[in-house]
Amino acid sequence: MGKQSRREELLDAALAECVENGYAATGVKEITARAAVSHGTFYNYFDNRRELLDVLVTREVEGYLDVLRRAAFSPHPVTEDELRTQMQSVTADLLGLAMNRIDVSAFLSMNVAGVDKETLRSHLRHFHDLSGLASEVLANAAAEGLIDESISLEFAGQAWISAILAVVIPAVADDHDVGDVDEVARIVTRVLLDGVPAPTA
């Protein structure tokens, strides 16, 4: 088995243990037992479990970043309908990633940030990276005149990611599905582009 495969096995084992028992209760012993490797093998790949946690979280966030990178580097939307379609698609893909592995999403969103100050800073960096790419997607639309130039694209990107988190975090906290992901993505996109409709009398 190659080095990369063994490293991924250790990461997978650590993720499974952390999801089931939390990071605080997951030691090197539990990780190596689940991965069926020796204690020494662990240290061929990681200095300690804290380093492994950083690598693990970065690996898990990468899937979300990839969705946004693809959108940021795809052809620019040139009509409002194309922008709406792109935003709905990206939002649905991000929600799908979160909801398809709700236990992992719960661990990432509710357990990791509380480990120590550095994981909290890392959490904020990941949010910044995600919202930065969301801003890039919107900048493409702004270049085509589809977004008012007075709007802060940085703020708009943060609002987009925050809206997605506002759907995901209550769902993972209560361990339930959000329902029709495409419909939720349509609503999130509508709110972001059109605002919340005024209540009817």
Side-chain angles (χ1 to χ4, degrees), residues 48-188:
N48 50 53
R49 72 183 182 120
R50 183 64 186 73
E51 181 195 7
L52 178 143
L53 179 65
D54 288 339
V55 173
L56 177 61
V57 172
T58 298
R59 182 188 78 167
E60 295 303 313
V61 171
E62 192 61 31
Y64 297 92
L65 291 168
D66 280 345
V67 169
L68 287 158
R69 282 190 199 107
R70 284 194 300 272
F73 296 108
S74 67
H76 296 192
V78 294
T79 68
E80 186 177 324
D81 283 346
E82 288 173 342
L83 172 60
R84 195 174 297 272
T85 297
Q86 183 185 49
M87 288 183 69
Q88 283 181 206
S89 175
V90 169
T91 302
D93 287 349
L94 293 172
L95 286 171
L97 281 174
M99 301 316 298
N100 286 339
R101 300 169 72 209
I102 197 167
D103 53 348
V104 173
S105 299
F107 168 67
L108 292 173
S109 62
M110 299 171 62
N111 189 258
V112 170
V115 169
D116 58 32
K117 288 180 182 177
E118 183 50 42
T119 56
L120 178 57
R121 282 192 287 270
S122 178
H123 219 60
L124 294 172
R125 278 194 304 273
H126 290 310
F127 175 81
H128 182 265
D129 291 343
L130 290 163
S131 60
L133 283 168
S135 297
E136 283 294 318
V137 175
L138 298 173
N140 291 341
E144 300 293 343
L146 299 175
I147 295 177
D148 188 320
E149 61 184 24
S150 68
I151 292 174
S152 164
L153 295 177
E154 180 182 3
F155 176 78
Q158 291 172 356
W160 188 1
I161 299 304
S162 294
I164 293 168
L165 290 172
V167 173
V168 170
I169 290 176
V172 300
D174 293 333
D175 192 26
H176 73 269
D177 197 346
V178 299
D180 185 340
V181 166
D182 290 329
E183 177 61 14
V184 173
R186 188 187 67 77
I187 292 167
V188 167

Side-chain angles (χ1 to χ4, degrees), residues 197-201:
T200 55

